[in-house]
Each structure stands twice: as structure tokens, then as C-alpha cells.
Amino acid sequence: MYQIFVYNPQLVPYVQDIQLRMDNYTKTRQRLLGSQESLSDFANAHLYFGIHHTDDGWVYREWAPAAEALHLLGEFNDWNPASHPMTNLGNGVWELVLPGKKALWQGCRVKTMVTYQGKTSDHIPLYAQRVVQDKETLQWCAEVVDDKKKFRWADKRFKPQDPPLIYEAHVGMAQEEERVGTYREFADLILPRIKADGYNTIQLMAIMEHPYYGSFGYQVSNFFAASSWFGTPEDLKYLVNTAHKMGIRVLLDLIHSHAVKNTAEGINEFDGTTWQFFHDGPKGDHPAWGTKLFNYGKTEVLHFLLSNLKFWMEEFHFDGFRFDGVTSMLYLDHGLGSDFDHNSKYFSMNTDTEAVTYLQLANELIHELKPSAITVAEDMSGMPGMCLPISAGGIGFDYRLGMGLPDLWIRTIKEKRDEDWNIEEIWSSICLRRPGEKTVAYVESHDQALVGDKTLMFRLADAAMYTDMDKETHNLVIDRAVALHKLIRLLTMASGGDAYLNFMGNEFGHPEWIDFPREGNQWSFKYCRRQWSLADNGFLKYQWLGDFDKAMISMAREWDIFQQDMPHLNRIHNQDHILAFERNQVLFVFNFHPTQSFTDYVIPVTYPTDYRLILSSDEKRFGGYDRIADMQYSAYQPGMEGNWLKLYLPARTAAVLVPVFEDEPKKTTRRRKKAATEKENSDSDKKTLSKKNTGSGKKAEAKVKTDSVKKSATKKASKPRKESKTKNEADSEIKTDSKTKADSAE
């Protein structure tokens, strides 16, 4: 029996469906490989098809099974549609050999003319590696890339860090000026920011070529072309190479769930038919997106898509992928309007078993090519086994996005007054994930930042963001927004998953929404950029939020909190709005009460030793008041058996504490020394960035202060004392500003 049933015994009634999943995978794999030994041997379509520079000249090949004739035309033949016909080699393969090294050249513009049923149409070559738009005619065509010219990589010794702390980014909107940014600007100006903030992974959006800039890169036309919106393929390689030299992993936001329906710019109807790559008829059209849907049961389609994965990993050294639109792939109704409230919804005639098989093969190939690579599934359905190994009956992803978490916070903020928040429900929702499967936790991604939605900070502060974000201005709405922004992000990161994601700029509460240039806004870039100066100028509260995010990420890295799969709940109290839990020895305590502060609030802990404060949302450097003392707190309370801390918990604050041990492991000590050094270096980087920033506004002149890492050890830990106090006895020790409160749950 597959291990998926050990993690999910409720799936035993669906044992035949899991077996069908595995049989489909085995049969398809055998069909694809034949005598080849691995998927890597199979996924080489890009090395055969497309335009290649040979020792004797050039060769161009295409797969177009329904076409009657193909011709190559371009600058090399003055766009003559008849002078360079291609030869039909059989099985839908066409070839053109061009003798002479100067027959084509780097940057030579070309198109393919296809004849189908007596009619001709011009197309972009399927395996084009560079596609550009003519500024005058606005038409797109391919540019030849000379594959004999090799980029000099300097990332041979790069080793990605785990767990991934992901910074989701869009290259074009990463600059403060109202224009499209470039790959090199991102590498030189934005990567140092990301490094200084502590993130070890970037997830790049809109890299695959897309004709419409406002699609956010999700309507792909040319699958092997790095988007020319931001520069050349060499520029993208420079970005990845620079990231690797900084120790940053690079993920590609991959779109294999659909393709743009354009025929002149995209792959649709390349050979004259819709069914070359896609399903024919309504099954091949996405009803909500207006795009084309792949036929994952077709060998040639699998050859194209799997080779595409290998191309991005080998040609551009990407370290993995975020698979977009996985829910749409998994179900024939694309999950539109479906409530996945029963296991039967995952295993029915609505399940696209061919798409499931493709995802298994894709994950096998990716990890075969690079064992350290990671894959992330954007699936809101909760498909069982998504992030279990294929051998366990799973689909093979490393992580799934915790897509319920943003919805949780949106519902809570929109539908409930602060005093009505149900802490038990929040905790239950945050910890709801499938056993054995890893989740990327996040409060907001690009989805929440788009026009029509609101970011967390914008939802909390609304119009007051425009008038009251100056540090010298006091506003209760902003005070609440700043406090909850810190608490919600800390809680989500610390308990919501096994990795963490943040969208570019949201770490400091970037105002407003993202609105790409379009006719409706007079093609303006005003809301399609990142205003870094808001966090850098030193006068606005955005700096506080950015500094807290940096400290939060640093704490997570230093204390390896994700080593423990699930947090351990220490205390929860709905009426008091108190939540306390431990993860990998680190104690997190939250007071979400909007008005009530607590003195000597009793929190049970694991270790019979002192605890020291390592992070507080109430620190002055984060816009707080330093009301939580930076000191050591004893877990020994006279007259109480067990280990208890007494803490002062101001309203809307969080405190993070760790036990103090006399004999800390040398590895831990080295790790903390390294973390301290990284803090100093990142602060220096931050100061340098203020000078290099291309945005407008005053730059912060003062170096951002950070915590020094204290290593005091005053008590030696012994065996944990038995926790024998009753709930009522413990509650009798809690002193509040008004009255003694009773515990609702422990």
C-alpha cells in the first residue's frame, strides 16, 4: 500500500483511484522513454527543433504534422516567402539546412510561413528563444539566437539554502520610475535589497514571453523565449548568475496550464490546426481566461512541455518552478465554482488524469536534472498527495501554496470587528494542512496586490495611508494597521507552513494596488512600479514595517523554526485574544486584543530554564513603545508546578522568546555568530542601497539598527518539570488591568 494512505487513512475507499494514478504514470513513462533510460534523455526537443548553428552553417526544424508546406523568411532573404522552403522528413517534422556560417546571424529577424489547406499564414518559430515587437508596426517576430555563443556562468559552487524564504517579484515593475525595468537593473539594484532583507529565494514572474504586458506574464505566447520586455536572454542569465553569487535561489513562475490563443504571436494553430498542441473544441478553451488548454495525453505535447522545463533549467540555471494554475489543470471544470469539501471531489470523472500524469513526470524530470531543485504547486483544491513523492502515490511537488491563508485574513478583517476575532478559529485554519506535505505560508501574493483587490496594509489603513504615514503623525487607524500588519505576518510565517512567501514591496506595506498600463488608465505606469523611497527616506512608517519584516525573517533563519513540522500550541484564550505556541524551541506569544493589556500573563513552556526576548513587535525601531522588557524571564514560579512564564502583553503586540541553555551546541553557536555577521553586512548593504536607489524622495541616512545577538547563559536546563497545575490555578496567577479572566482552552 502506498504511503499516501498512511498519511491519509480516509483515502482508503479511493485506493483504486490512487492505483489508477500510478498505473497511468508508469504506462505513460514507458511510452515516452522506449529504449531511453531517463526522462532527461527524452526531454531534448529544444536541442533538435528550432534554429541551431552547426559547424557548416545553420539548420532549422519544426514539428507541424498538419501543414502542407513551411518556408523560412526574414532579413536574411529580404522576407522572400518562396526562396527557402523546408523539407518534409516525415512524422510531421520539417527541416531547412542553410549552408554557410553567415547564412544567419545573431539578431537576424525571421518568421515561418505555414501553408495549410492551400492558405498561408505567418508564425513565430515554435522554439524561438528571442521574440521582439516592432515599435512601429507593433508586430512580433523572432530573432535568431546563436547557440554557439556561450554565457560565462560563475555559479558552479552555488548551493541553495533551505527552507525557502521566497521573494515574489516582477522585473518590469521593480523600479520606482514610471517605466518598464530591466533584468540588469533588477540584478544590480533590487537583488541587494532582497539579500539585505534576508530572503534566500526569488520567484520571478512574467519571464516567459507574453505579448500583452498587462497580463502579468500569465498569457504566454513563446515558451522558450525569455521575455524581451526586460532585455535579452544574456541579461536574464546575468540576473540569475548574480543571484546565485549572492546565495539566492531563483524560481521561475511557470505557465504550463494554458497558452495565449494568439496565432501570429503564439503557438496556437501553428500547423493550421487547433489540435496540434491543444484539445479541439470547447475542451480546448478556458471559459474564464480565454486561453487555450494543452492536451496532456499527447506524446508530442509532453515532449514539448518537458523539454521546456529542461531548457529553462539548463540554459538559464533556474533552480525550480512555481507551477501556475494547477487547479485548472487537475479538473475538467478547472475548479471553477467547485467546493472541495469531500474526498470524492478529487477522484471523479471531473479529474483530468492526463494532467496529473504530466505533473508527475514534470516533477520527476526536474528533480532528476537537479536534486536540489524545488517545485511549488498553486493549487487551491487541496488535492491529496500533491506534495508527496511519486513512489508514495503522490504527484511529486515539494511545496504547495497555502492559498487559504490570504482568504482567512481577508475574511477576518472584512467581516469581523477586532474584538470579535475568534482566535481558536484562526489557529485552526492556519494549521489546517495535509500531513506529510509541505506548505508555503503567505499573507498576500501578487493576487492580493492587483487592482480590484487590496493588499493587507491597504485593507487595514485605507485612505489614511495617503495622509498619516509620517512618523510624527498619530492616527488610531494607522496605529491599528501598523500593529496588525506586523502580527498577522509574524503569525502566518511562524505557524502557517514550512516555508514563507512575500510579494515585492508588501514587506513594508506598499500602498495602493498594481494597475498595469492599459487604455483605461491612459497607459500609465503610475501604479505599476515599486516606491522603494517610501521605506528608505527615514520619515515614514513604512520603514518600521520593513525593518520588522527584516528582523522577522532573520529570526526565522537564525532559529531554524521550520525544522519542526507543526507548531506546538501552549495556550489559547478566545476572550483574552491570547495565542502562544512553540516551534523548534522558539516561543511565540500574541495578544490580538484591541484594547486590553495584560500584566504577568501566565504562559506554559517546555523548558525549566530562563527565556530571553529575541523579538518584539513593540520595539521602538518598529514603531512600538518598548513596553515588553528586553530581559530574561524565569520559567520557575514559586508555588506552581511545571514551567511557566509571566509576561507583560500589551494590546496588539507579539513577543518571541527562546530558552537560555548553559551548554549550547557548537553548531548553534556558530549559526548565531554567522547570523550576527549577516545582520551587520545586510545593514551595510541597506545603507549602500539608499545611495543607489533610483527612486525619488529622501533617502535614509542613518544605518538601520538591528538586534545584537546575545549569548548569555545563566541557567542550566534540567528535565522539564511536570505540568500539574490546573487551568483555574494557572488563571488565578493572571493579573489584568480590570479583572481576572478565565481560560477557555489550553
Side-chain angles (χ1 to χ4, degrees), residues 337-403:
S338 297
D339 290 326
F340 295 92
D341 52 2
H342 192 273
N343 286 320
S344 61
K345 302 289 184 68
Y346 303 115
F347 308 104
S348 71
M349 296 302 292
N350 185 42
T351 305
D352 191 335
T353 56
E354 292 173 341
V356 172
T357 300
Y358 165 66
L359 292 172
Q360 289 177 302
L361 294 169
N363 276 288
E364 179 185 349
L365 171 65
I366 292 165
H367 294 103
E368 176 186 320
L369 292 170
K370 185 180 290 189
S372 64
I374 63 171
T375 55
V376 182
E378 189 213 22
D379 170 39
M380 49 76 62
S381 73
M383 169 65 81
M386 181 67 70
C387 302
L388 288 179
I390 299 170
S391 60
I395 299 178
F397 282 93
D398 297 293
Y399 296 88
R400 61 165 19 110
L401 288 174
M403 300 185 70

Side-chain angles (χ1 to χ4, degrees), residues 18-161:
I18 297 297
Q19 189 59 56
L20 176 63
R21 171 190 290 182
M22 299 307 297
D23 290 345
N24 289 341
Y25 159 75
T26 301
K27 292 177 182 178
T28 303
R29 190 178 186 278
Q30 291 174 345
R31 186 183 87 228
L32 297 183
L33 295 188
S35 61
Q36 295 170 317
E37 295 183 359
S38 68
L39 285 175
S40 180
D41 295 330
F42 170 76
N44 288 320
H46 58 294
L47 300 179
Y48 179 76
F49 294 109
I51 298 174
H52 298 283
H53 196 169
T54 67
D55 293 337
D56 301 323
W58 299 78
V59 63
Y60 171 45
R61 301 187 188 95
E62 287 287 10
W63 173 69
E68 297 168 358
L70 269 72
H71 292 76
L72 183 67
L73 60 155
E75 293 177 323
F76 73 100
N77 66 357
D78 293 327
W79 300 97
N80 188 325
S83 63
H84 286 75
M86 300 182 70
T87 302
N88 190 341
L89 301 181
N91 296 318
V93 178
W94 299 78
E95 181 183 75
L96 172 65
V97 177
L98 296 97
K101 294 184 178 181
K102 295 182 179 181
L104 295 175
W105 59 89
Q106 176 85 11
C108 175
R109 295 194 172 188
V110 297
K111 281 190 175 183
T112 305
M113 188 179 75
V114 179
T115 303
Y116 172 70
Q117 294 184 348
K119 297 180 180 180
T120 63
S121 56
D122 291 346
H123 298 266
I124 305 293
L126 292 175
Y127 291 83
Q129 295 185 27
R130 179 161 169 79
V131 180
V132 297
Q133 185 180 35
D134 188 286
K135 294 182 179 180
E136 295 181 1
T137 66
L138 301 183
Q139 293 185 349
W140 293 76
C141 68
E143 284 187 355
V144 172
V145 172
D146 187 347
D147 51 358
K148 279 188 174 292
K149 295 182 178 181
K150 301 299 182 181
F151 181 83
R152 291 188 177 182
W153 292 95
D155 61 351
K156 188 175 182 180
R157 297 183 179 180
F158 167 70
K159 292 183 179 180
Q161 303 172 35

